Amino acid sequence: MIRPVPSADRDKEIDAWTMRLLDQGYCVIPDAGSPGTIAALDQDLAGDFADTPFCQGGFYGARTRRFGRLLARSSHAAALVMNPLVLGVAGRVLGPWCESIQLNLTQAIALHPGALSQLPHRDQDMWRGTSGEVEYLVNVMWPFTPYREENGATLVWPCSHGQHALEPEPAGSSVTVELDPGAALMFLGSTLHSAGGNRSTSVRRGMIVSYCLGWLKPYENQWLAYPPAIARNFAPDLAALVGYRQHRPNLGNYEGQCPSVLLADNLPAHLGAVDALRPDQQALVDAYVTGQEECRPAGE
């Protein structure tokens, strides 16, 4: 059962989990999601789990099934993607480096018996940006089934994040993060982690959601995953999270306007571009334009 949190206490709770995440590189939030919603999501995805072929390649895993576009596959996925506590923590962590965050991916994962342990890695290495200074993304693992050491629970190397990501080897050993449905494992993109090997006779199923800086190219192409015909049925905040929002200055625009115009009825055939600048940029442009207007000869 989800613990009710008065709105006045939400910020304090977000701050507390953010501090733990930034300190250790990961944290486990108990009772973060509704087990009933998670069970319903798992049921909605049962056919996709059955029909999706096993992955190819040593990284994804030959005994693993993975698929995305979960917001289009089940109406229950949105409750986890838009979880207020998780979204608040992600925003706190990533906020220093962007104006707004975006959805990086939703991916369902089924780890079958015999699956090998995954190569330890850091998800920030998807991008060739500077390491040790910027956090590029925050991951959230939502288990559908119990995660245990024998069925391949996620392995995390505590305090391997941030500047420690520049070190050739982590200072300590990994920990196995055992979870039950309803709990959420959050870890930074700079944290070393991997899936464990599945030595059991059961399938380990779950969902990973990740959020990244709003100006990055996301792992999952959100506009193809959720074209306007699908995204216009999302709540406005969810549509913005999947990419129907500009990131100032002018990033991700459509015909010079916020791509949310694609979700409206009766879109005009021609649009005029509209500035979408940061306040400092807007002030600079305004001063420059004003200076030119003041120098313009009278009558022009």
Side-chain angles (χ1 to χ4, degrees):
M1 173 179 251
I2 298 178
R3 294 169 291 111
V5 178
S7 57
D9 295 335
R10 178 62 74 189
D11 282 349
K12 292 181 180 179
E13 188 173 24
I14 289 172
D15 287 342
W17 286 112
T18 300
M19 289 178 62
R20 187 174 302 187
L21 178 59
L22 291 174
D23 180 56
Q24 297 292 315
Y26 80 104
C27 65
V28 175
I29 305 178
D31 304 320
S34 164
T37 298
I38 292 167
L41 174 58
D42 188 27
Q43 181 60 43
D44 283 352
L45 300 179
D48 295 297
F49 275 124
D51 295 340
T52 299
F54 283 111
C55 301
Q56 298 182 40
F59 180 75
Y60 280 146
R63 293 290 297 162
T64 303
R65 303 181 196 267
R66 299 172 183 261
F67 54 88
R69 296 192 308 111
L70 303 190
L71 291 165
R73 298 177 189 270
S74 171
S75 60
H76 297 291
L80 301 183
V81 171
M82 298 300 292
N83 180 280
L85 177 55
V86 166
L87 204 57
V89 173
R92 291 276 206 283
V93 171
L94 301 176
W97 296 285
C98 65
E99 178 187 55
S100 59
I101 66 173
Q102 65 179 328
L103 188 66
N104 185 56
L105 68 82
T106 61
Q107 187 178 82
I109 303 173
L111 199 67
H112 284 248
L116 301 177
S117 180
Q118 189 182 33
L119 173 74
H121 61 285
R122 294 177 170 90
D123 286 346
Q124 69 177 13
D125 293 340
M126 289 185 289
W127 303 287
R128 300 301 296 169
T130 301
S131 297
E133 299 176 11
V134 176
E135 289 297 340
Y136 295 95
L137 77 157
V138 173
N139 291 300
V140 190
M141 180 67 74
W142 294 96
F144 294 171
T145 61
Y147 277 32
R148 298 292 183 264
E149 181 178 6
E150 60 270 18
N151 71 3
T154 305
L155 305 176
V156 172
W157 278 257
C159 300
S160 62
H161 62 294
Q163 291 191 343
H164 294 294
L166 300 173
E167 299 168 0
E169 296 291 338
S173 301
S174 65
V175 297
T176 301
V177 184
E178 296 192 333
L179 303 166
D180 289 309
L185 164 63
M186 300 191 71
F187 56 100
L188 301 174
S190 61
T191 300
L192 191 67
H193 69 282
S194 73
N198 190 343
R199 305 187 306 275
S200 75
T201 58
S202 63
V203 178
R204 188 214 79 179
R205 295 189 307 280
M207 165 187 181
I208 188 159
V209 178
S210 71
Y211 311 91
C212 68
L213 303 178
W215 45 265
L216 280 175
K217 184 179 180 69
Y219 170 94
E220 185 175 38
N221 190 316
Q222 303 297 333
W223 298 283
L224 295 180
Y226 311 111
I230 292 176
R232 65 170 47 102
N233 296 312
F234 291 168
D237 286 350
L238 180 58
L241 191 67
V242 301
Y244 292 89
R245 167 174 56 195
Q246 280 191 107
H247 188 290
R248 295 183 295 182
N250 305 314
L251 295 177
N253 73 79
Y254 175 80
E255 296 283 13
Q257 293 195 21
C258 179
S260 60
V261 298
L262 292 168
L263 307 182
D265 295 329
N266 303 316
L267 181 69
H270 299 90
L271 298 171
V274 179
D275 283 348
L277 304 175
R278 298 193 309 266
D280 62 308
Q281 295 170 320
Q282 188 65 59
L284 182 64
V285 169
D286 289 346
Y288 186 74
V289 171
T290 299
Q292 292 187 86
E293 290 176 341
E294 291 175 348
C295 294
R296 180 182 299 170
E300 285 192 7

